[in-house]
Amino acid sequence: MDGVPADRAACEDADRLDPLAKYREQFLVDEAGPIYLDGNSLGRQPVAARAAVATVLSEWRRDLVGGWERWISLGARIGDRVGTLVGAARGQVALSDSTSVNLYKLAVAALDARGDRAVILGDANDFPTVRYVLQGIARREGHRLRLLDSDPAEGLDPAAVRQALDDDVALVCLSGVNYRSGAVLDLAEVTAAAHDAGALTLFDLSHAAGAVPLQLGTAGADLATGCTYKYLNAGPGSPAWLYVRKGLQRELRQPIWGWWGQRDQFAMGPTYDPEQGIERFLVGTPSILGLVAVAAGIEPLLEATMPALWAKAQRLVALLARRVEERLVPLGARLASPTDPARRGGHLAVAHPQAYNASRLLVERGLVVPDFRQPDVLRLAPVPLYTSFTEVYDAVERVATVLADPAVRRPQPKGRTT
Ligand SMILES: *Cc1c(COP(=O)(O)O)cnc(C)c1O
């Protein structure tokens, strides 16, 4: 592929010429530390996060409850900023709750709107919380869950989605980028198929937002949600975002009737009468400390722009894929991501029988922070805002060293690797 550095010297050249290299300084990076390839699990800390959080702490101390005059409108403003990042026009994105809770709220709202239909279509290889939330809803609401058996490496074929649709499907709920393989789903194609069959779409974009270009508006997507602590760098447990297409907002009712969704919230009226817009998908008081961290996390992405980030991400991933083929495949590894580069998102999966032990050794020896996914996958995510070409090159060399070390065959202690 064009623009992929051929050797380490070429990686150094690519870093010198990289227009995005300057963004690394906007993150707190220990240059002597391991190479961090786990930004798809928890993004690095932006320098600006500390000041943003410290400001809210000062406001809280100084203004006490009066701080709400400023804080109350923060969510809508930051929601629109996230909207810009995912290709949504104003008034369609809100920050609230966790991705899991938003999946529940949006899925139930969609099922209520398609009350005569009994089937939810999902992916058997989707992220666990997506499957669990859908299982719970199906059990409570008497729906049937139809799970497609996608290829674990290649991902879900939109043609298979189209084939599984019939006039009993109420909702298609899928991830935009598979959390394991990094396989990308064509949201426009799936949405067109779902709409042809009279179903609504709900996309989990936790591994997609900030990693791949998204145009929720032009894709026609109905509903979406995603977390902010992966590629959006907002820190552990930061609030999730949700998207509801403008034309659907008044028709849908989410199941958790909280006062933050209420029209004229402070009138404290006797009955629930929700807002007309995106605010009706809110429930309760948001974490203001979390919200300002979202703002700090997404600003570098907006400034760098998604097209520029995506151009670099594709080169980083292509370099990584090539080095995996050259260095790790001879050591028994296998790329467990789509063969077609055009179907790859921001991270790659590398399968190896000793993947777990390798991940432990890489972290223990301070070499690389990957992450491990059962049963045998190392996920490697170069993040264009702060990962260099040279780091990708060196990381694969370090993984190769560990895979070639007899210690990788010795049992390693159990536990979370990252
Ligand atoms: C990370 C991730 C989540 C996280 O959900 P939480 O409710 O924030 O724990 C959900 N879905 C997908 C696809 C993810 O990758």
Side-chain angles (χ1 to χ4, degrees), residues 8 11 15 33-38 44 316 319-321 323-324 327-328 331 350 358-359 361-363 366-371 378-383 387-404:
R8 195 174 189 284
C11 287
D15 288 331
I35 297 171
Y36 192 62
L37 295 183
D38 209 1
R44 278 191 183 275
L316 289 169
L319 170 66
L320 178 60
R323 294 302 295 160
V324 167
R327 292 291 282 127
L328 306 186
L331 294 167
V350 178
S359 71
L361 292 174
L362 285 164
V363 171
L367 300 174
V368 177
V369 181
D371 82 6
L378 285 179
R379 290 189 313 181
L380 304 173
V383 175
T387 309
S388 68
F389 292 94
T390 312
E391 279 185 307
V392 169
Y393 188 96
D394 290 347
V396 174
E397 289 302 307
R398 293 176 186 188
V399 176
T401 309
V402 164
L403 289 179

Side-chain angles (χ1 to χ4, degrees), residues 98-100 127 129-130 175 179 204 206-207 227 229-230:
S98 63
T99 305
S100 304
F127 189 83
T129 215
V130 182
S175 281
Y179 78 104
D204 186 330
S206 295
H207 268 86
C227 68
Y229 48 78
K230 293 172 181 167

Side-chain angles (χ1 to χ4, degrees), residues 56 59 70-79 95 288 291-292 295:
V56 175
E59 291 171 346
R70 203 170 26 256
W71 301 329
I72 201 148
S73 58
L74 267 179
R77 246 196 358 257
I78 299 169
L95 286 142
I288 299 302
L291 281 181
V292 298

Side-chain angles (χ1 to χ4, degrees), residues 142-381:
H143 284 75
R144 285 198 310 281
L145 191 53
R146 189 179 291 167
L147 292 182
L148 295 165
D149 215 359
S150 63
D151 185 290
E154 296 295 331
L156 198 54
D157 182 354
V161 177
R162 192 174 275 278
Q163 221 164 37
L165 282 159
D166 56 35
D167 57 14
D168 212 15
V169 177
L171 176 67
V172 177
C173 179
L174 300 169
S175 281
V177 170
N178 183 272
Y179 78 104
R180 236 163 160 276
S181 66
V184 172
L185 187 70
D186 187 327
L187 305 189
E189 204 175 331
V190 167
T191 299
H195 287 177
D196 286 348
L200 293 169
T201 52
L202 166 54
F203 297 113
D204 186 330
L205 301 176
S206 295
H207 268 86
V212 301
L214 292 168
Q215 290 298 336
L216 291 181
T218 45
D222 294 311
L223 306 162
T225 183
C227 68
T228 58
Y229 48 78
K230 293 172 181 167
Y231 293 95
L232 306 193
N233 317 309
S238 51
W241 59 274
L242 62 81
Y243 165 87
V244 180
R245 179 164 63 75
K246 193 99 200 162
L248 267 183
Q249 289 176 2
R250 291 170 68 148
E251 183 190 337
L252 296 192
R253 278 239 181 158
Q254 54 97 356
I256 310 176
W257 294 8
W259 71 315
W260 276 66
Q262 175 78 345
R263 196 201 309 250
D264 202 1
Q265 179 184 1
F266 290 96
M268 312 234 167
T271 47
Y272 183 65
D273 172 24
E275 287 271 10
Q276 300 290 302
I278 192 71
E279 300 83 0
R280 73 159 60 197
F281 299 91
L282 301 179
V283 178
T285 310
S287 159
I288 299 302
L289 291 167
L291 281 181
V292 298
V294 174
I298 62 173
E299 276 322 303
L301 289 154
L302 288 166
E303 194 187 303
T305 77
M306 275 319 294
L309 289 163
W310 181 229
K312 180 176 173 186
Q314 287 176 295
R315 290 175 70 205
L316 289 169
V317 169
L319 170 66
L320 178 60
R322 212 189 52 215
R323 294 302 295 160
V324 167
E325 293 293 344
E326 289 171 0
R327 292 291 282 127
L328 306 186
V329 168
L331 294 167
R334 163 178 67 80
L335 203 58
S337 290
T339 35
D340 177 3
R343 297 215 50 219
R344 293 176 188 158
H347 70 273
L348 289 180
V350 178
H352 188 281
Q354 309 297 347
Y356 176 73
N357 291 346
S359 71
R360 296 289 303 201
L361 292 174
L362 285 164
V363 171
E364 199 178 286
R365 295 177 182 176
L367 300 174
V368 177
V369 181
D371 82 6
F372 170 75
R373 284 294 173 262
Q374 289 289 351
D376 62 354
V377 161
L378 285 179
R379 290 189 313 181
L380 304 173

